[in-house]
Amino acid sequence: GGYSGGHLLLKPPQDNRTHIQASLEDPINPSNINVTSDGTYYDAFDKDFVIIATGDNFMNDIIQTGLIDVDIPPNIFNFQTLSSEVINFGIEAEADVIGALFRTAFFNDPDEMNNYLNDIPLSLLRITPKVARQSIMPLPRPPRIPRSENVVDQSYLQSAYYQLARAVKKDLFGTNILESNSVVIDADPDVCIDSRTKCFFENTDAAYFGNL
């Protein structure tokens, strides 16, 4: 199993009903999270970490300084950029809506999962400046890790994929289900954001399937 977390742009200002549902940058996951570890994927679990999500570089500096002052090591700082290049900030009706999405790992032990979900070891703090400022120090749109150019045609796996999907559905829901084909949804979040179209809660470290 694994985990990932990030922020999504949800609502375009011109239509309150249509959600964009696109990630604003690459999510944080065991492969890239800053934690005190040996650098391997499996040693990134059950560790202390800090995630700073802001659209203001001034506030980013203040938060980092405050954390360092209370002896929190900078090597566990992680950043999520809320860039005004893609987000319409504000409290008016036409402003964008941002959502945080965090996917937890699969648990082998159901009791361990329930204990975790009943007492999630996470603190969420909203930092507000004491003195109002007329403007912010905006952050640029964050770059994404480029996708591999060595894409291999795996269409020969389609039949086996369908069989696996049917077996999973039968195990979960029994035989009284409507048969359908499952297809992978490959959505480009930057295209969705720029064109203000739906991205189906895409994020770049996960594959989704839809039914046709």
Side-chain angles (χ1 to χ4, degrees), residues 118-196:
N118 288 331
D119 188 19
I120 298 176
L122 183 68
S123 297
L124 179 63
L125 303 177
R126 176 181 175 179
I127 309 299
T128 303
K130 290 184 177 180
V131 180
R133 294 161 52 225
Q134 296 300 314
S135 62
I136 67 171
M137 296 172 60
L139 294 164
R141 185 175 193 163
R144 297 182 191 264
I145 297 175
R147 295 188 176 188
S148 172
E149 296 180 357
N150 301 317
V151 178
V152 179
D153 182 8
Q154 296 182 330
S155 59
Y156 69 95
L157 297 172
Q158 187 177 57
S159 177
Y161 175 76
Y162 285 163
Q163 292 182 39
L164 175 61
R166 292 188 186 102
V168 171
K169 292 172 187 176
K170 182 178 179 180
D171 182 60
L172 291 175
F173 307 112
T175 56
N176 296 323
I177 60 172
L178 179 65
E179 184 57 49
S180 62
N181 288 331
S182 297
V183 295
V184 172
I185 299 172
D186 184 17
D188 186 320
D190 287 329
V191 171
C192 291
I193 290 172
D194 292 341
S195 61
R196 297 275 163 165

Side-chain angles (χ1 to χ4, degrees), residues 55-82:
D56 185 357
N57 202 32
F58 177 80
M59 286 302 301
N60 182 39
D61 291 342
I62 288 178
I63 293 169
Q64 287 193 61
T65 300
L67 292 170
I68 293 171
D69 286 346
V70 293
D71 297 325
I72 296 178
N75 66 298
I76 68 169
F77 294 176
N78 298 270
F79 306 96
Q80 287 278 290
T81 301
L82 307 179

Side-chain angles (χ1 to χ4, degrees), residues 3-8 10 20-29 100-104 106 144 147 161-162 165 169 181-189 192 198-212:
Y3 60 83
S4 68
H7 289 80
L8 298 109
L10 296 180
I20 298 176
Q21 303 166 343
S23 62
L24 288 166
E25 65 180 295
D26 290 331
I28 297 170
N29 59 47
L101 185 65
F102 188 80
R103 293 175 173 84
T104 59
F106 292 112
R144 297 182 191 264
R147 295 188 176 188
Y161 175 76
Y162 285 163
K169 292 172 187 176
N181 288 331
S182 297
V183 295
V184 172
I185 299 172
D186 184 17
D188 186 320
C192 291
K198 186 172 290 188
C199 233
F200 304 101
F201 287 102
E202 158 287 334
N203 75 344
T204 49
D205 67 352
Y208 296 86
F209 68 87
N211 292 327
L212 298 176

Side-chain angles (χ1 to χ4, degrees), residues 74-124:
N75 66 298
I76 68 169
F77 294 176
N78 298 270
F79 306 96
Q80 287 278 290
T81 301
L82 307 179
S83 174
S84 57
E85 293 181 16
V86 294
I87 301 170
N88 181 26
F89 288 107
I91 58 175
E92 300 81 7
E94 63 271 16
D96 284 331
V97 173
I98 305 300
L101 185 65
F102 188 80
R103 293 175 173 84
T104 59
F106 292 112
F107 287 82
N108 292 325
D109 185 342
D111 291 333
E112 184 181 356
M113 178 186 70
N114 289 330
N115 291 335
Y116 174 84
L117 294 176
N118 288 331
D119 188 19
I120 298 176
L122 183 68
S123 297
L124 179 63

